[in-house]
Amino acid sequence: MGDEHSLIPKDSFIFKLPKKSPLVLRMVVLMFVMVCAVYICSICLKQIGVVPSAGFLNVEVFEKQCPEPNIEPWDIPYVHYPKPKTYNREECSCNPVRNFAILSMQRSGSGWFETLLNNHTNISSNGEIFSVKDRRANVSTIFETLDKVYNLDWLSSASKNECTSAVGLKWMLNQGLMKHHEEIVDYFKTRGVSAIFLFRRNLLRRMISVLANSYDRDNKMLNGTHKSHVHSPKEAEILARYKPLINTTLLMADLKQVQEMTSKALSYFNTTRHIFLYYEDVVKNRTKLDDVQEFLKVPKLELKSRQVKIHHGPLSQHVQNWGEVQTTLKGTGFENFLLEDYRK
């Protein structure tokens, strides 16, 4: 049959949408997009800790978690992530820091040694902090001072930057260290502090340096200024002109006393993580500084110091009564101190 005989009109299959239908569709799509956006935002807010509570937003701040360091299990207690109160470590907040203390005696090369460490980009050693008596008045003041140092809140000329990798100080045995050794050993173990022992093998040389430094403190040979350490050969030559007179009656007892104090210190702090150095060995063999850098787990660099040694050459040139000193020490356990044991 032809189309003209169809009982159903052609127009009956044509649906005519209202003229405003495009606007309605747009509204529907817009509503859908808004619902999706709200949902996605709510998921994000939950992930960052922003949760609506009682009509307000309760914002929780999550601290950045530092990745676990790739170290041996035994080494974990010596790795720290300090949060200074005086500044923000910012991008270095996850740089691990190691705590150390140089344990030594006056005129044993610790000042020179510390300048070498501070020559390293990542090491900050803050000097002889406990030379100030108030800081070592009791255990509480000692711990309070140490906390500032190891929290990177002790600001000094040795302070580096936010990315310091090893921080410490120079601590003489007679500055409360031996008196409160039990409490300090516990502190070292709790706070993961590593000890660097630095002593002088030749105690007679140390004695001469102590006497000469004491004389200059009273007489100020450098234009009325006392200097324990110098940075020019001329200044060193001026200070070396003074030749102390050694009391040979007390010489043996004094040397034994220093020797015993050194032995006690090693005994007291033997259970801490530590490294032992003689000043003479560091002078003769600079690879000892590589050992120290390895001990502190910092990159190995060539370390330099501007300090100039004061007393050079044979000891006979630096003592007034050298003959008496020789007679006193010959045939004793200290006779080897009479020899020139190193050059610099």
Side-chain angles (χ1 to χ4, degrees):
M1 298 177 60
D3 290 341
E4 64 272 17
H5 300 291
S6 175
L7 298 178
I8 303 174
K10 292 180 179 180
D11 294 342
S12 61
F13 287 101
I14 300 175
F15 296 93
K16 294 182 179 181
L17 294 173
K19 292 182 179 181
K20 295 184 179 180
S21 61
L23 179 60
V24 174
L25 286 174
R26 289 172 185 163
M27 292 296 293
V28 171
V29 172
L30 180 60
M31 290 295 294
F32 179 75
V33 171
M34 291 177 64
V35 170
C36 290
V38 171
Y39 176 75
I40 293 172
C41 287
S42 65
I43 296 298
C44 293
L45 290 175
K46 287 180 181 179
Q47 289 182 346
I48 64 175
V50 181
V51 183
S53 175
F56 298 95
L57 288 179
N58 179 25
V59 181
E60 297 179 12
V61 179
F62 292 100
E63 291 186 359
K64 179 181 178 182
Q65 294 298 316
C66 296
E68 289 292 330
N70 185 22
I71 58 176
E72 296 293 331
W74 66 264
D75 203 21
I76 293 177
Y78 303 99
V79 174
H80 312 280
Y81 299 92
K83 298 178 177 61
K85 298 177 182 178
T86 51
Y87 64 93
N88 192 328
R89 295 189 74 203
E90 298 176 345
E91 72 274 8
C92 297
S93 59
C94 284
N95 279 31
V97 177
R98 292 174 181 269
N99 301 335
F100 69 89
I102 303 168
L103 309 186
S104 187
M105 303 180 75
Q106 287 85 352
R107 313 311 296 176
S108 295
S110 60
W112 169 73
F113 178 76
E114 188 176 45
T115 61
L116 290 169
L117 293 189
N118 280 326
N119 186 239
H120 196 290
T121 309
N122 304 114
I123 301 177
S124 292
S125 189
N126 292 279
E128 203 170 318
I129 292 175
F130 290 109
S131 61
V132 179
K133 291 184 178 180
D134 290 344
R135 296 171 187 162
R136 64 175 195 262
N138 51 58
V139 172
S140 296
T141 57
I142 289 175
F143 288 174
E144 181 181 343
T145 302
L146 292 176
D147 286 344
K148 287 183 179 179
V149 172
Y150 296 131
N151 200 48
L152 301 183
D153 279 317
W154 192 273
L155 303 180
S156 71
S157 59
S159 301
K160 291 296 194 302
N161 50 43
E162 301 83 24
C163 296
T164 294
S165 299
V167 63
L169 70 156
K170 187 172 65 168
W171 202 345
M172 302 295 102
L173 300 188
N174 62 351
Q175 293 174 350
L177 190 66
M178 303 292 281
K179 181 179 180 181
H180 304 290
H181 66 89
E182 292 182 354
E183 295 89 343
I184 295 170
V185 166
D186 289 340
Y187 181 95
F188 278 17
K189 291 181 177 180
T190 302
R191 293 296 303 270
V193 179
S194 299
I196 301 175
F197 289 103
L198 179 69
F199 294 115
R200 206 156 182 168
R201 180 181 281 111
N202 193 322
L203 300 182
L204 181 60
R205 282 189 175 272
R206 175 186 175 271
M207 177 181 289
I208 293 170
S209 182
V210 169
L211 293 173
N213 185 64
S214 178
Y215 176 84
D216 184 66
R217 186 181 295 110
D218 296 331
N219 296 274
K220 300 176 177 57
M221 300 170 66
L222 297 174
N223 298 321
T225 302
H226 168 60
K227 290 187 177 182
S228 296
H229 308 98
V230 295
H231 298 93
S232 75
K234 181 61 177 177
E235 291 178 328
E237 188 272 329
I238 292 173
L239 293 180
R241 291 173 187 172
Y242 171 72
K243 297 182 178 182
L245 181 70
I246 294 179
N247 186 333
T248 53
T249 303
L250 300 176
L251 178 57
M252 290 287 293
D254 289 342
L255 293 176
K256 287 180 181 178
Q257 183 181 25
V258 174
Q259 200 172 57
E260 289 172 0
M261 182 177 290
T262 302
S263 298
K264 283 184 178 180
L266 293 172
S267 174
Y268 290 160
F269 289 85
N270 187 49
T271 56
T272 65
R273 180 175 182 264
H274 64 272
I275 184 173
F276 182 88
L277 301 168
Y278 277 121
Y279 166 74
E280 290 87 348
D281 294 340
V282 180
V283 170
K284 289 189 297 184
N285 184 3
R286 289 300 182 91
T287 60
K288 292 293 182 181
L289 294 175
D290 292 342
D291 297 340
V292 175
Q293 293 176 82
E294 173 62 28
F295 179 71
L296 296 176
K297 305 298 182 183
V298 296
K300 291 182 182 179
L301 302 178
E302 183 181 354
L303 306 180
K304 299 179 180 179
S305 172
R306 292 177 54 243
Q307 281 194 16
V308 177
K309 184 173 175 58
I310 296 173
H311 297 99
H312 294 269
L315 288 178
S316 57
Q317 298 177 359
H318 304 292
V319 180
Q320 286 188 42
N321 55 334
W322 179 245
E324 295 179 16
V325 172
Q326 279 186 309
T327 302
T328 303
L329 296 184
K330 276 188 176 180
T332 72
F334 301 118
E335 183 176 4
N336 60 319
F337 292 166
L338 298 170
L339 306 176
E340 182 183 359
D341 52 1
Y342 69 98
R343 295 177 182 273
K344 186 185 176 186

